Amino acid sequence: MKPWSLVGAALYASMLSIPIVGTAAAAPVETVRIDTTALAGTSGYLAFDLIGGSVIANNTISISAFASDATLGAVTLTGSASGSLQPGPAVLGDSNFFNELLQQVVFGNALTFDLGVSSQYGGAGFPDQFSFYLLDGTQNPYLTTDASGANSLFGITLDSASPTPAVYLSDFATATVTPQAPPTGVPEPASLWLLLACAPGCARALRSGRRRRGA
């Protein structure tokens, strides 16, 4: 087994051992606008990632109404990902640990899309985690203020009826996500939040391992 696979397996085994009292609900659609003027004319990728935390496959992320002056290239689907940004919709399921739609682009000035987020959580492990990244031509993320170090541009933890997006700052792009009502779920133990902090980094390790295999 490759080292990056061991990382994912170890984290997944750890989360299975944590009993959590959960919540179940469905969240409305988020409208996302991203200003990529600073990257216009450069080649890179849009990465839509869903980490399946709960052992029950019950969440989906749908991406629809995608519009941009960017030029779209090849798309790579991993895990429970299907569809495409155009004409859309694209869907990420959580039946696998790492689920991703990776879209090659030549960046334009802006992009917009609607993000449909189902938010159900009621089993062992940690809540599913959605993250969106802008990647350069070597599939490394552009720097953001993401405290996990994964450099996502925004993320959503699917832990309540109305999960609140965490939007980060970057010198390379600006994301605006339509706000939802603050989550009202049951507070989670400290060990759970430790695993949540590790989830984006694990996704980054998995993507890095995939690049090494393709080298």
Side-chain angles (χ1 to χ4, degrees):
M1 181 179 289
K2 300 291 186 181
W4 64 271
S5 298
L6 292 174
V7 172
L11 181 57
Y12 197 68
S14 298
M15 70 188 186
L16 292 180
S17 66
I18 302 177
I20 305 294
V21 176
T23 59
V29 171
E30 301 277 5
T31 298
V32 180
R33 186 184 189 280
I34 300 174
D35 185 333
T36 56
T37 302
L39 299 175
T42 65
S43 298
Y45 298 84
L46 311 176
F48 300 80
D49 290 0
L50 179 61
I51 297 296
S54 172
V55 295
I56 302 174
N58 56 2
N59 279 317
T60 59
I61 298 288
S62 64
I63 305 123
S64 60
F66 181 89
S68 177
D69 58 347
T71 301
L72 302 188
V75 61
T76 302
L77 303 174
T78 301
S80 301
S82 61
S84 61
L85 296 182
Q86 289 184 340
V91 177
L92 300 175
D94 66 351
S95 59
N96 290 275
F97 177 66
F98 180 62
N99 310 279
E100 180 181 69
L101 184 150
L102 184 67
Q103 175 67 61
Q104 188 177 34
V105 298
V106 175
F107 289 105
N109 293 309
L111 58 95
T112 62
F113 55 89
D114 290 339
L115 196 68
V117 183
S118 73
S119 186
Q120 301 186 67
Y121 178 57
F126 61 83
D128 294 349
Q129 174 75 39
F130 171 79
S131 300
F132 175 82
Y133 301 83
L134 296 180
L135 310 180
D136 65 19
T138 62
Q139 296 188 24
N140 288 310
Y142 286 100
L143 294 177
T144 74
T145 57
D146 181 354
S148 73
N151 291 311
S152 62
L153 193 57
F154 75 92
I156 303 174
T157 300
L158 309 185
D159 61 353
S160 68
S162 297
T164 301
V167 181
Y168 305 109
L169 302 177
S170 175
D171 291 336
F172 302 94
T174 301
T176 303
V177 182
T178 302
Q180 295 187 21
T184 56
V186 178
E188 313 294 357
S191 57
L192 172 61
W193 293 112
L194 177 61
L195 286 173
L196 281 173
C198 294
C202 187
R204 180 177 57 183
L206 289 169
R207 186 181 299 109
S208 177
R210 184 176 61 198
R211 289 202 305 272
R212 289 196 296 272
R213 285 185 299 157

